[in-house]
C-alpha cells in the first residue's frame, strides 16, 4: 500500500531525496564518511553548504544584497531574534495578526518593544486575510511582520503588503518555495525547515544587508544575525545533516522545474481538494474565506463531528496518514506541501467522496 503523509510538520519529504540520502548515508561521494560525521569546516561539508546556499539563491532569485543564514532554534527563536536585531533603536514594530503563529510572534516581540497590531482577523475566528486598506500602519515602525501562510488556520496571503520604507518581515515556515516570490520586497524572510525544506532542526533566514549589526544592547552573541552572516553560518556548529538534506531538496526542486513549476502543481492539488470539499453538499466544509485559502494546509470539518473518529480510522487503513486537525481548530487538516504528489491528493479525494456517500 502506498502511504501518503499529510502531516503539517515535520512533513513529507520527496521520496527521491530520502533514497539518495540512504545511498549516501555511510559514504558520501567516496569520502568514506557519513555527512553526519564530517567536520563542518572540512572541504567536504563546506562544499555541501555552499551548494545548498547557491541552489536556494537560484531557486528564489535572491539578490546579492541579501545574506542567507542556516540557523537553529526554529521559527520560535526568530520570534525573538527579529525584534532583537531589527528594532534598531525605534520604539515599536507593526504586526499583522492572522492566527496562531502571528499571535506567538506578537507575544514574543512584546518582550523587547512596543507592538502595534495593525490588523487582525480574530473577529471572524481567524478565517480570512484583512484587506490592506484597513491596516493601521505606523510609517515610523521598525518593521512590519506578517505570516503569509497560517499553518494552523489554513489562511494564506495571495498578495504581498507594500510597506514602502518600512522593512517587511515574513514567517514563511509553511509556504517558502511553494511559489515564486520577489525577495527584494522583503527585509527579512524566515522559515523553519520541517514543512517545505527538510528535516526539523534547521531554520533558514534571508536578510537584507542593511538590517545587520544594530542589535539591542545585551543581545546574546548567538542571537545576532551579523555574527552568523560574518561567519558564513559557521560561528558555531551548524545543523550539518539538516543542511545536507535541505540541499538535496533544493536539487530536487531544480530538477523538477523550480518554484514556478511547484506553484502550478500546488494550485492543481489545492483546487482538487477544495473542489471536493465545496462539492460535498455540506458534508465537508472549509471555514476559510475562498480567496484566502491556503494552498499548503487545508483545514476541513465534517458536518457531524461524531464521524471524525471513523473518518480518521478509515483514512489510516488506506494509508492516508496524519489528517487530524490542530487541537485549536478541530476537524481535519491536510497539509499538501511541495513533496506531496498529486496522486496523494487524488487518493484523499477518492476516499473523502466514498466516505461521504457511505455516511452522508
Ligand atoms: C511550524 C511553524 C512555526 C513554528 O516552527 P518551530 O520550528 O516549531 O519553531 C512558526 N510559524 C509557522 C508559520 C509555522 O508553520
Amino acid at each position: 500500500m502506498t502511504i501518503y503523509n499529510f502531516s503539517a510538520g515535520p512533513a513529507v519529504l520527496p521520496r527521491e531525496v530520502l533514497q539518495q540520502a540512504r545511498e549516501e548515508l555511510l559514504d558520501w561521494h567516496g569520502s568514506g564518511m557519513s555527512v553526519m560525521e564530517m567536520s563542518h569546516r572540512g572541504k567536504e561539508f563546506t562544499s555541501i553548504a555552499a551548494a545548498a546556499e547557491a541552489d536556494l539563491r537560484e531557486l528564489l532569485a535572491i539578490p546579492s544584497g541579501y545574506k542567507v543564514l542556516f540557523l537553529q532554534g526554529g521559527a520560535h527563536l526568530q520570534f525573538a531574534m527579529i525584534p532583537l536585531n531589527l528594532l534598531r533603536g525605534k520604539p515599536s514594530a507593526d504586526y499583522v495578526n492572522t492566527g496562531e503563529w502571528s499571535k506567538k510572534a506578537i507575544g514574543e516581540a512584546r518582550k523587547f518593544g512596543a507592538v502595534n497590531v495593525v490588523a487582525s482577523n480574530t473577529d471572524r475566528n481567524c478565517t480570512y486575510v484583512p484587506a490592506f486598506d484597513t491596516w493601521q500602519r505606523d510609517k515610523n515602525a521598525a518593521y512590519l511582520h506578517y505570516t503569509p501562510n497560517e499553518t494552523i488556520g489554513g489562511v494564506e496571503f495571495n498578495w504581498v503588503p507594500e510597506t514602502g520604507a518600512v522593512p517587511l518581515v515574513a514567517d514563511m515556515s509553511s509556504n517558502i518555495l511553494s511559489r515564486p516570490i520577489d525577495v527584494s520586497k522583503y527585509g527579512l524572510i524566515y522559515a523553519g525547515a520541517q514543512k517545505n525544506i527538510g528535516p526539523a532542526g534547521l531554520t533558514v533566514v534571508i536578510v537584507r544587508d542593511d538590517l545587520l549589526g544594530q542589535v539591542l544592547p545585551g543581545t546574546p552573541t548567538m542571537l545576532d544575525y551579523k555574527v552568523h552572516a560574518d561567519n558564513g553560518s559557521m560561528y558555531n556548529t551548524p545543523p550539518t545533516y539538516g543542511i545536507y538534506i535541505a540541499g538535496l531538496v533544493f536539487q530536487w526542486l531544480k530538477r523538477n522545474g523550480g518554484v514556478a513549476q511547484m506553484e502550478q502543481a500546488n494550485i492543481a492539488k489545492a483546487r482538487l481538494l477544495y473542489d471536493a470539499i465545496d462539492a460535498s453538499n455540506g458534508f465537508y466544509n472549509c471555514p476559510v474565506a475562498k480567496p484566502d485559502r491556503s494552498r499548503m494546509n487545508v483545514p476541513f470539518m465534517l458536518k457531524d463531528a461524531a464521524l471524525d473518529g471513523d473518518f480518521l480510522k478509515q483514512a489510516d487503513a488506506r494509508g492516508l496518514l496524519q489528517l487530524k486537525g490542530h487541537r485549536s481548530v478541530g476537524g481535519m487538516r491536510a497539509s499538501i506541501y511541495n513533496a506531496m504528489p498529486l496522486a496523494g491528493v487524488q487518493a484523499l479525494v477518492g476516499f473523502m467522496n466514498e466516505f461521504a456517500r457511505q455516511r452522508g
Side-chain angles (χ1 to χ4, degrees), residues 234-303:
M234 298 213 192
Y235 172 72
N236 75 322
T237 315
T240 52
Y241 203 73
I243 293 170
Y244 159 70
I245 299 285
L248 297 185
V249 171
F250 299 154
Q251 288 167 17
W252 174 81
L253 285 168
K254 283 173 61 177
R255 285 197 302 277
N256 288 280
V259 290
Q261 198 50 48
M262 275 304 130
E263 176 174 46
Q264 293 316 309
N266 289 330
I267 289 171
K269 288 185 291 178
R271 182 175 298 147
L272 185 62
L273 185 45
Y274 286 115
D275 281 354
I277 292 166
D278 293 339
S280 70
N281 288 319
F283 188 84
Y284 302 108
N285 102 84
C286 170
V288 180
K290 279 193 181 164
D292 307 326
R293 287 176 168 183
S294 170
R295 292 177 188 164
M296 297 283 101
N297 311 97
V298 180
F300 61 93
M301 315 294 150
L302 276 61
K303 75 169 183 228

Side-chain angles (χ1 to χ4, degrees), residues 56-96:
L56 181 61
R57 283 186 175 276
E58 184 182 328
L59 284 164
L60 291 179
I62 301 173
S64 60
Y66 287 76
K67 296 289 186 289
V68 172
L69 307 178
F70 294 132
L71 307 180
Q72 301 186 55
H76 277 84
L77 189 56
Q78 295 311 305
F79 296 162
M81 282 178 77
I82 287 159
L84 283 167
N85 284 264
L86 301 195
L87 277 172
R88 295 167 295 141
K90 294 180 190 270
S92 74
D94 281 356
Y95 277 73
V96 185

Side-chain angles (χ1 to χ4, degrees), residues 185-251:
K185 292 194 165 164
Y186 297 86
L188 187 147
I189 292 167
Y190 64 102
Q194 69 272 21
K195 277 90 183 216
N196 227 356
I197 296 179
L202 166 68
T203 311
V204 172
V205 173
I206 302 165
V207 56
R208 210 172 62 209
D209 289 345
D210 63 283
L211 298 173
L212 300 174
Q214 299 161 75
V215 289
L216 279 185
T219 298
T221 310
M222 275 294 287
L223 304 190
D224 184 341
Y225 292 128
K226 186 165 192 300
V227 169
H228 294 288
D230 288 348
N231 290 278
S233 297
M234 298 213 192
Y235 172 72
N236 75 322
T237 315
T240 52
Y241 203 73
I243 293 170
Y244 159 70
I245 299 285
L248 297 185
V249 171
F250 299 154
Q251 288 167 17

Side-chain angles (χ1 to χ4, degrees), residues 73-77 79 101 147 149-151 171 173-174 192 194-195:
H76 277 84
L77 189 56
F79 296 162
W101 292 118
T147 310
N149 185 61
E150 286 282 0
T151 320
D171 177 358
S173 291
S174 51
Q194 69 272 21
K195 277 90 183 216

Side-chain angles (χ1 to χ4, degrees), residues 45 59 78 91 100 103 109 118 134 140 157 174 191 197 255 291 299 344:
F45 185 75
L59 284 164
Q78 295 311 305
E100 298 286 329
K103 274 182 227 155
V118 304
T134 67
N140 296 313
F157 282 71
S174 51
I197 296 179
R255 285 197 302 277

Side-chain angles (χ1 to χ4, degrees), residues 8-9 100-101 104 150-154 298-301 308 322-335:
E100 298 286 329
W101 292 118
K104 277 214 152 173
E150 286 282 0
T151 320
I152 293 173
V298 180
F300 61 93
M301 315 294 150
D308 285 3
Q322 310 218 53
L323 285 163
K324 193 171 165 47
H326 190 270
R327 59 189 180 281
S328 68
V329 178
M332 307 298 150
R333 174 176 47 170
S335 294

